[in-house]
Amino acid sequence: MIDYLVDKRQFHLHNGKISYVMELTTDGFLLQVHNGAPIKQFTRRDVYPKYIRSSFNPSPASRPKGDFTLAVIPQEFGTYDVGDYRVSGIEMTYPDGTQATTLKYYAHEIIPGKPKLAGLPATYANEEEAETLIITMMDAPRMLKVQLIYTIFADLPVITRSTVIENFGSESFMINKAYSAGYDFDDADFDYLQLPGSWAAEKQLERLPLRKGVHKLDSRRGASGSFMHPFTALLRKETNEFSGEVWGFHFVYSGNFAIELEEDSFNQTRVNIGISSDHFNWELAPYETFQTPEVVEVYSPDGLNGMSQVYHQLYQHHLVRGRHQLAERPVLINNWETTYFDFDEESLLALADDAKKVGVELFVLDDGWFGNRNDDTTSLGDWFVNEKKLPKGLPDLADKIRAKGLEFGIWVEPEMISRRSELYKEHPDWHIHVDRYPESLGRNQLVLDMSRQDVRDYLYNVLDELFTSTGVTYVKWDFNRNMTEWGSPLLTAKAQGEVAHRYYLGLYELLERLTSAHPEILFENCSGGGGRFDPGMTYYMPQSWASDNTDAVERMKIQYANSLFFPISTICAQVSEVPNHQTARVTPFATRMNVASSANMGIMQRLGEKTSEEMAAIAEGISWYKKNRKLIQYGTFTRLLSPFENNYCIWGFMDGDQSNGLLFFGRILQHADEPFLRIKLPMLDPHKFYQIGNYHGSGEEFMKYGLYVNTEIHGDFTSMFFEIKEIPAVTEEPTLDYFG
Ligand code: GLA
């Protein structure tokens, strides 16, 4: 999969689905030549037409003739202050205070498999599944080594990248910017995707034309956040969901990130991805290394669905881990919107009884079960039971719930501390703060300093004990504020710029310990909804709460956008009450059920107040979901019509042999005398025959002619599933004389 062609000084990563070609100049610069469509053999070299394109672009010292400039040429990793004026991949300040950095080739090695990234989540593969190229670049006068690490997967159009920076000198230097990867393209005929949002409105997908200058997508909140997601894709102008080239870039990290998209004066593109350089300075002592997180590139010639299906396969098989990786996920009930903080043992047990009746499998006790927590002003950090609400304790409640035939799970928010808590009384300095400086509160709480070993040990012990004593098989891990006043008293003044990243190294270490000690637990990642739903967290937690917004109409968009990269098994959705608690919208029960059933479904219902008809409807919905969840969670998912651009939302699920599937149709507003909507179903097999709803016909017919989808149900916020079933061939007797 990885060739180094010595005479051409060229690297070629290829697997029949993607090709990635780089070449070395005679003076050791590493140039990017091709990234994308598979090419069996790349025979030429020096294909870039002209190394100098205008005045005002200096040449490096190794080119005294002035026939080469770093300012224009596509490269693997731009450096700072040596004539490449585009955004750079790394920036350093050396002991003398200057910054010029040049990277030249030093060595490379090719190894089977995929090495782990020190202390960071990443995709994984065994020796048959991937091959890795490590190119060591060097700036000799600066005593700096940079390893550029590329892994190509054997049977997917995927190349991952990360970088290791090493100081082999005798003095420390400061890293001001340490990105993971840079991608240069020699044209700029692209649109790009971005996913801005906010709390309860995560991942609001936008497609925009690339423009000259630098456009930056980032988070400086101490979390990947709900405000921008660490993903972008470049698309050709003609690319749509089904055809055309796409390059997706997803960053496997949960903290501050930045994606810089630059179109230069010569219509060339650079995409740089890494840890944000805001709140980031890292002092690298002699012989120390710094490992950056991973970027996952997916190339698809088959439009956005092609890209998404690759991400889904990759994440299902090479990112999510553990016992639940490919397991059907349980239908849960969560008491949050049912009771908020106001519950006791009796009300929980009554809810559990009703939950069992409708077919729920897992009972989740949300916020409010610990300390003195009756609202959101207290007790975070006090992970022992709230005796006023649950006088007999949590293990007792858990046993009673299990005795009803349900599994038991709980909510925790371990990274936080309330000022009004026992933990704060004991450890008023355990949170992130700047000494003697006024501190901002978010949801009345402060953030524990995860860079501290003592904090992590405390959390490990208290959570390990909690999980063990209650026998929970599910944990919802929440994170409900963003960071301010970055400071950690245990670090030196110079190292304060390291807190933001050290926080995540600490969190990841804690998660590794807890998830290894409790393989039985299904962890659900949450941050006020999808505020940290990123691939970094997905490595530790096989599913995530996609949004606190449970309104079925808004959820269509949020789930649609999440499906760009996340497998459906990882995207959690719940059937909540109406009027909806976030939007006050009243949507039909069937639509709430259908939208949630298009993901990893659970319920959040006041079952005690339901009529027997309503209970029957819930039970029927859950039973239908259980029958279909393998297909939904692990089948092939295809987006067919975007709710971001249409009054409808359509997507489909197909099983592996393209025999059975489901087609979801959702309408936002009903219009009088609505035009008919015919949708083509490209996910079928053209050689098979299908029954779809009330229609039957050949796969080819449904693929090329399609199916009318908006004629069977009417009304605002309506939706339905069409079942897709393979049937024996339909043979039609030719009628020669129609009138005869
Ligand atoms: C966050 C979560 C909710 C709920 C509350 C509890 O907002 O996203 O689902 O758990 O916290 O306080």
Side-chain angles (χ1 to χ4, degrees):
M1 287 185 273
I2 301 178
D3 300 326
Y4 177 62
L5 307 161
V6 186
D7 48 337
K8 288 197 280 165
R9 294 164 62 90
Q10 213 171 54
F11 297 97
H12 189 182
L13 288 71
H14 57 96
N15 61 8
K17 297 181 178 213
I18 184 171
S19 274
Y20 195 103
V21 181
M22 301 171 256
E23 66 189 21
L24 291 165
T25 64
T26 46
D27 48 350
F29 291 109
L30 182 60
L31 308 183
Q32 201 160 80
V33 178
H34 171 75
N35 175 5
I39 297 173
K40 275 203 198 79
Q41 222 189 336
F42 201 90
T43 51
R44 290 176 297 164
R45 70 157 282 138
D46 291 333
V47 285
Y48 193 72
K50 216 160 171 255
Y51 288 160
I52 287 283
R53 293 171 69 161
S54 73
S55 306
F56 286 92
N57 287 327
S59 296
S62 50
R63 298 293 178 110
K65 281 196 207 139
D67 58 349
F68 179 94
T69 177
L70 294 169
V72 298
I73 192 143
Q75 292 167 71
E76 283 303 304
F77 206 60
T79 61
Y80 196 59
D81 193 26
V82 289
D84 183 350
Y85 298 103
R86 294 165 291 184
V87 284
S88 59
I90 46 167
E91 289 173 23
M92 315 287 184
T93 306
Y94 298 101
D96 64 0
T98 64
Q99 295 196 288
T101 303
T102 310
L103 290 180
K104 299 268 186 107
Y105 172 83
Y106 174 67
H108 76 267
E109 63 176 319
I110 297 167
I111 53 174
K114 184 172 191 294
K116 284 195 165 183
L117 272 62
L120 290 166
T123 56
Y124 56 87
N126 66 29
E127 301 204 340
E128 280 77 56
E129 292 165 337
E131 200 169 42
T132 296
L133 166 66
I134 303 173
I135 306 178
T136 304
M137 307 291 288
M138 190 142 78
D139 184 332
R142 299 300 200 178
M143 310 297 255
L144 163 74
K145 264 191 205 165
V146 174
Q147 289 186 334
L148 304 178
I149 304 172
Y150 302 79
T151 298
I152 180 166
F153 280 75
D155 53 5
L156 293 167
V158 174
I159 292 174
T160 63
R161 284 185 61 180
S162 71
T163 299
V164 175
I165 300 170
E166 184 186 332
N167 177 356
F168 65 98
S170 53
E171 279 183 273
S172 299
F173 56 70
M174 193 61 98
I175 309 174
N176 309 114
K177 181 178 187 183
Y179 276 17
S180 299
Y183 302 89
D184 281 3
F185 294 82
D186 65 358
D187 75 314
D189 298 326
F190 295 115
D191 287 342
Y192 70 95
L193 296 186
Q194 60 181 23
L195 294 153
S198 64
W199 171 79
E202 295 86 345
K203 301 190 177 86
Q204 299 296 304
L205 176 62
E206 293 177 348
R207 175 176 180 158
L208 300 163
L210 199 64
R211 292 274 184 259
K212 289 220 165 42
V214 182
H215 187 66
K216 190 166 171 180
L217 322 179
D218 70 345
S219 168
R220 279 159 270 165
R221 296 174 161 270
S224 52
S226 20
F227 295 79
M228 189 62 85
H229 188 70
F231 171 82
T232 193
L234 294 178
L235 293 79
R236 290 296 176 197
K237 298 288 175 187
E238 70 277 8
T239 296
N240 58 29
E241 283 284 8
F242 309 102
S243 66
E245 289 188 286
V246 190
W247 293 256
F249 303 102
H250 210 182
F251 192 40
V252 188
Y253 189 59
S254 312
N256 296 331
F257 71 88
I259 300 175
E260 296 162 340
L261 297 134
E262 177 167 11
E263 180 183 339
D264 73 12
S265 304
F266 301 98
N267 300 348
Q268 306 187 113
T269 304
R270 172 168 290 179
V271 180
N272 268 349
I273 302 172
I275 295 175
S276 169
S277 38
D278 288 296
H279 300 296
F280 179 85
N281 275 306
W282 194 279
E283 190 179 18
L284 203 65
Y287 296 101
E288 274 185 0
T289 57
F290 181 85
Q291 163 86 66
T292 73
E294 170 165 297
V295 178
V296 178
E297 176 192 347
V298 169
Y299 167 75
S300 159
D302 306 317
L304 282 169
N305 273 310
M307 174 197 78
S308 300
Q309 287 163 4
V310 172
Y311 272 116
H312 294 178
Q313 280 189 53
L314 180 76
Y315 288 174
Q316 261 164 13
H317 298 284
H318 301 281
L319 181 69
V320 179
R321 299 176 299 165
R323 204 176 280 183
H324 306 280
Q325 181 185 357
L326 296 169
E328 288 181 35
R329 306 295 165 80
V331 175
L332 61 81
I333 186 165
N334 179 302
N335 71 312
W336 178 239
E337 286 189 6
T338 309
T339 63
Y340 289 107
F341 293 103
D342 185 17
F343 57 81
D344 56 18
E345 183 182 295
E346 202 188 328
S347 58
L348 294 178
L349 291 176
L351 187 62
D353 274 331
D354 289 335
K356 180 67 191 167
K357 281 185 210 144
V358 293
V360 164
E361 296 158 312
L362 163 67
F363 185 92
V364 179
L365 175 55
D366 209 277
D367 195 354
W369 60 264
F370 52 92
N372 288 312
R373 184 107 163 150
N374 297 313
D375 56 35
D376 65 12
T377 62
T378 75
S379 303
L380 293 170
D382 299 346
W383 301 110
F384 43 82
V385 77
N386 182 331
E387 284 172 353
K388 288 203 191 90
K389 290 183 190 170
L390 302 170
K392 293 185 204 129
L394 217 45
D396 179 74
L397 176 74
D399 285 343
K400 286 180 181 147
I401 287 187
R402 278 190 288 266
K404 296 181 192 300
L406 293 167
E407 290 179 64
F408 181 67
I410 42 168
W411 178 97
V412 286
E413 195 180 357
E415 296 157 74
M416 299 290 162
I417 182 166
S418 306
R419 269 206 205 123
R420 288 170 55 203
S421 65
E422 296 304 311
L423 188 66
Y424 190 85
K425 275 187 219 149
E426 264 170 64
H427 298 288
D429 63 337
W430 266 15
H431 61 286
I432 288 178
H433 67 283
V434 176
D435 251 351
R436 291 182 296 280
Y437 192 84
E439 54 199 15
S440 313
L441 290 176
R443 208 191 188 202
N444 308 301
Q445 63 203 48
L446 299 161
V447 187
L448 283 173
D449 184 352
M450 301 302 290
S451 74
R452 292 176 64 138
Q453 187 69 49
D454 50 358
V455 170
R456 297 199 298 272
D457 287 344
Y458 165 77
L459 287 175
Y460 179 81
N461 291 330
V462 73
L463 294 171
D464 178 52
E465 158 64 20
L466 172 69
F467 299 163
T468 308
S469 64
T470 47
V472 287
T473 50
Y474 165 103
V475 167
K476 177 175 169 190
W477 183 292
D478 214 336
F479 173 85
N480 279 315
R481 69 158 287 187
N482 287 153
M483 275 73 143
T484 52
E485 295 96 28
W486 287 102
S488 176
L490 296 193
L491 296 175
T492 61
K494 255 192 174 171
Q496 293 300 322
E498 301 176 9
V499 184
H501 182 56
R502 285 192 185 278
Y503 182 95
Y504 279 94
L505 293 177
L507 174 64
Y508 291 147
E509 184 210 84
L510 175 65
L511 293 178
E512 187 66 38
R513 276 172 86 188
L514 280 169
T515 52
S516 326
H518 292 279
E520 72 286 2
I521 295 180
L522 171 62
F523 282 88
E524 181 164 327
N525 163 49
C526 177
S527 172
R532 208 168 51 180
F533 185 3
D534 57 55
M537 293 305 282
T538 304
Y539 179 73
Y540 301 97
M541 308 204 186
Q543 60 188 49
S544 293
W545 182 222
S547 181
D548 271 356
N549 189 341
T550 56
D551 174 83
V553 173
E554 309 239 303
R555 265 295 182 136
M556 288 187 215
K557 286 188 179 169
I558 294 170
Q559 291 170 209
Y560 191 92
N562 269 297
S563 79
L564 276 175
F565 25 73
F566 287 127
I568 301 303
S569 56
T570 67
I571 306 171
C572 293
Q574 286 170 24
V575 185
S576 62
E577 296 285 357
V578 286
N580 180 268
H581 292 202
Q582 292 75 38
T583 61
R585 185 178 286 120
V586 177
T587 53
F589 173 76
T591 290
R592 280 174 281 144
M593 196 53 141
N594 291 341
V595 172
S597 293
S598 293
N600 180 338
M601 187 267 256
I603 66 169
M604 194 148 51
Q605 294 270 311
R606 285 194 295 273
L607 295 177
E609 297 168 14
K610 303 287 169 208
T611 62
S612 52
E613 289 77 33
E614 287 167 338
M615 287 292 275
I618 298 171
E620 195 188 315
I622 291 177
S623 139
W624 182 91
Y625 182 73
K626 284 183 188 163
K627 261 185 250 135
N628 289 290
R629 73 179 145 189
K630 186 160 179 240
L631 166 71
I632 292 167
Q633 294 173 1
Y634 296 102
T636 305
F637 180 80
T638 307
R639 290 178 302 272
L640 295 162
L641 201 71
S642 167
F644 288 101
E645 291 155 18
N646 298 279
N647 186 38
Y648 307 101
C649 172
I650 304 179
W651 52 53
F653 307 85
M654 265 334 267
D655 66 2
D657 50 11
Q658 287 168 293
S659 301
N660 294 305
L662 287 168
L663 182 71
F664 166 86
F665 162 79
R667 172 192 284 113
I668 302 174
L669 294 180
Q670 174 73 52
H671 298 294
D673 221 359
E674 209 170 66
F676 297 136
L677 178 65
R678 180 155 50 86
I679 283 290
K680 294 176 186 150
L681 307 177
M683 68 273 210
L684 303 179
D685 179 339
H687 308 294
K688 291 186 172 170
F689 287 80
Y690 297 95
Q691 177 81 38
I692 305 183
N694 298 325
Y695 306 88
H696 61 256
S698 69
E700 189 191 17
E701 202 177 316
F702 284 117
M703 292 170 79
K704 295 184 181 164
Y705 175 77
L707 173 82
Y708 287 108
V709 286
N710 65 336
T711 54
E712 294 188 27
I713 47 163
H714 302 280
D716 290 349
F717 321 133
T718 42
S719 71
M720 65 179 286
F721 275 110
F722 292 85
E723 301 209 351
I724 303 174
K725 293 223 171 313
E726 190 185 347
I727 53 170
V730 180
T731 43
E732 300 230 313
E733 292 297 317
T735 316
L736 294 178
D737 180 357
Y738 185 81
F739 297 101

